[in-house]
Amino acid sequence: MTTVVTLADFNRRERVVAQHEYLLQTAHDTGEEPPRHGVVILGPERFAVDGVEIIAHLSDRQPHLAAARNLAGDWATGSESGQSRANETIIFLDADCVPGSDLLRRYRQALEQEPSAVVTGPITYLQEADSQLEQIRAGAQNPSWLGQLRQPHPARPEIEGTQMRKATEQEYDVFWSLTFALTSATWRRIRRSWGGFEETFRGYGGEDTDFGWQMREHSVPLFWVGGADAFHMWHPVSSPPWEHLHDIVDNANRFYAKWGKWPMKDWLDAFERDGAVRLNANAGEYVVLGRK
C-alpha cells in the first residue's frame, strides 16, 4: 500500500485537487494501486478535497511545518490511531507539486530494492506560463505531457533513466522535503532515533537541512532515484525571502547552536549586506536590525 501525504493551507486547495487527480491517473496508467492521500491543513481556514483524507488541522496562523510533517508521517504509519501499518510506502509530496507519470512506481521499486533508505527523485520547477491551474488540471488525463517540461533543479544530482545512486556525505545537504519516500518501518525508526522533523524550528527554514543531517548522523541511507520526477508549480517568491526574515534568523541561530555550522548562508549574507542583520560572532548568533 502506498500513502501520499501533503501539507496545505486554504489557498492551495486547488493544487491539492490537481495533485490528487495526477496521483489517481498515474496509478491507473502504470498499474499501481491508487494511493491513500492525506493532507495536514495549515492555517485558520479548513477545507476539503474529494478523495483526500484530513490528517489534522493546525489552525495557527504561523505554520508549524516540522510538526505538520511529523503528524503526516505518523498518520501514514498508523501510529496516531494505534493501527500499525507494515510495509507501507510513504511519499511526502509538497502541495505545489504534481507527480510525474512514473513517480509512484519508481518510489515503490526503489524501496523494494533499498527498504531501509530514504529515497528522493528529481524536481522540476515549472515556469509561470506552465503553471496555470486550468492547464495543469487539463493535463491530468495524460500526465506524460509534463515530460516535455522536465528540467531537474541543478542543485541536486540528476540520475539517468531508472537508475539509483546512493548519496555522498555532502549530498545530504540538499535533502528537500518537497518529494521523498520511505517505508513505514523507516519512518518509525526515524521517530525513535531522533524524533523526525525538529519541532523547535518554527515558521520557515532550516528543518529540511536538519533532517538531512540527522539522517547522515544516524546512518540512514539516502538514494537519488531516476524516473521519480515531481513538478513544482510556480508561485511568487522573493530572494532573499524578506517575508521570512525573522523565522530564518531564529532557525539559523537554532541550527548553529545544534550543529556548529550556519544553514541558509546565502540568505543570511544577503540580509547582512542590506543591513538587516548582524552576526554577533562572540555569541554565535545573528541579530535582526530591521530592514532598511
Side-chain angles (χ1 to χ4, degrees):
M1 179 75 179
T2 295
T3 296
V4 179
V5 295
T6 194
L7 324 175
D9 62 13
F10 179 80
N11 293 327
R12 280 175 164 73
R13 179 191 180 279
E14 295 305 312
R15 294 192 169 203
V16 177
V17 172
Q19 183 182 94
H20 188 65
E21 291 170 344
Y22 274 77
L23 287 169
L24 294 181
Q25 189 63 49
T26 56
H28 176 270
D29 293 347
T30 56
E32 297 290 307
E33 184 179 358
R36 188 166 169 247
H37 193 192
V39 60
V40 176
I41 298 174
L42 306 174
E45 294 186 76
R46 191 177 176 91
F47 63 88
V49 173
D50 287 346
V52 181
E53 298 179 53
I54 295 175
I55 299 169
H57 180 196
L58 304 184
S59 59
D60 292 349
R61 289 192 176 276
Q62 182 186 41
H64 194 173
L65 302 178
R69 292 192 187 102
N70 288 336
L71 282 170
D74 291 347
W75 175 82
T77 64
S79 300
E80 286 292 289
S81 63
Q83 299 175 349
S84 180
R85 299 184 181 95
N87 303 317
E88 190 91 358
T89 294
I90 304 171
I91 299 173
F92 287 75
L93 192 61
D94 189 87
D96 289 321
C97 291
V98 290
S101 57
D102 218 16
L103 178 142
L104 290 172
R105 179 167 60 183
R106 288 297 299 127
Y107 273 155
R108 178 184 57 77
Q109 291 173 339
L111 290 172
E112 286 176 353
Q113 186 174 336
E114 298 288 345
S116 63
V118 171
V119 299
T120 183
I123 302 169
T124 292
Y125 280 80
L126 298 175
Q127 299 298 312
E128 181 177 7
D130 298 316
S131 299
Q132 302 306 306
L133 198 57
E134 297 81 2
Q135 176 189 12
I136 292 289
R137 290 193 62 186
Q141 296 181 13
N142 183 22
S144 62
W145 79 277
L146 290 168
Q148 63 189 328
L149 304 176
R150 186 178 185 273
Q151 193 172 355
H153 195 288
R156 289 154 57 98
E158 182 175 0
I159 307 301
E160 296 295 329
T162 58
Q163 298 179 34
M164 288 175 58
R165 179 172 71 73
K166 190 175 183 180
T168 66
E169 293 285 301
Q170 187 174 1
E171 287 171 349
Y172 280 78
D173 292 355
V174 287
F175 166 82
W176 298 341
S177 64
L178 291 172
T179 170
F180 71 99
L182 71 176
T183 64
S184 53
T186 299
W187 177 255
R188 286 192 290 270
R189 175 195 165 190
I190 285 171
R191 289 289 268 165
R192 289 194 304 268
S193 297
W194 72 85
F197 286 90
E198 175 56 67
E199 296 187 16
T200 60
F201 290 93
R202 303 289 299 212
Y204 185 88
E207 77 280 359
D208 279 6
T209 306
D210 178 81
F211 189 87
W213 285 30
Q214 288 281 22
M215 284 197 295
R216 182 171 59 199
E217 185 79 6
H218 290 84
S219 301
V220 176
L222 175 65
F223 276 82
W224 308 109
V225 180
D229 286 87
F231 294 82
H232 183 281
M233 291 175 275
W234 179 92
H235 59 75
V237 294
S238 58
S239 184
W242 287 102
E243 65 274 23
H244 299 297
L245 170 63
H246 288 273
D247 287 346
I248 288 169
V249 171
D250 287 347
N251 288 337
N253 288 338
R254 190 169 288 109
F255 188 98
Y256 183 82
K258 182 175 183 177
W259 296 103
K261 293 184 179 180
W262 291 109
M264 306 176 283
K265 196 64 170 64
D266 289 347
W267 291 344
L268 293 171
D269 289 346
F271 292 145
E272 190 167 29
R273 284 193 300 271
D274 283 352
V277 304
R278 174 176 54 83
L279 174 61
N280 183 338
N282 291 330
E285 66 178 17
Y286 280 86
V287 179
V288 176
L289 304 176
R291 187 176 182 183
K292 292 185 177 179

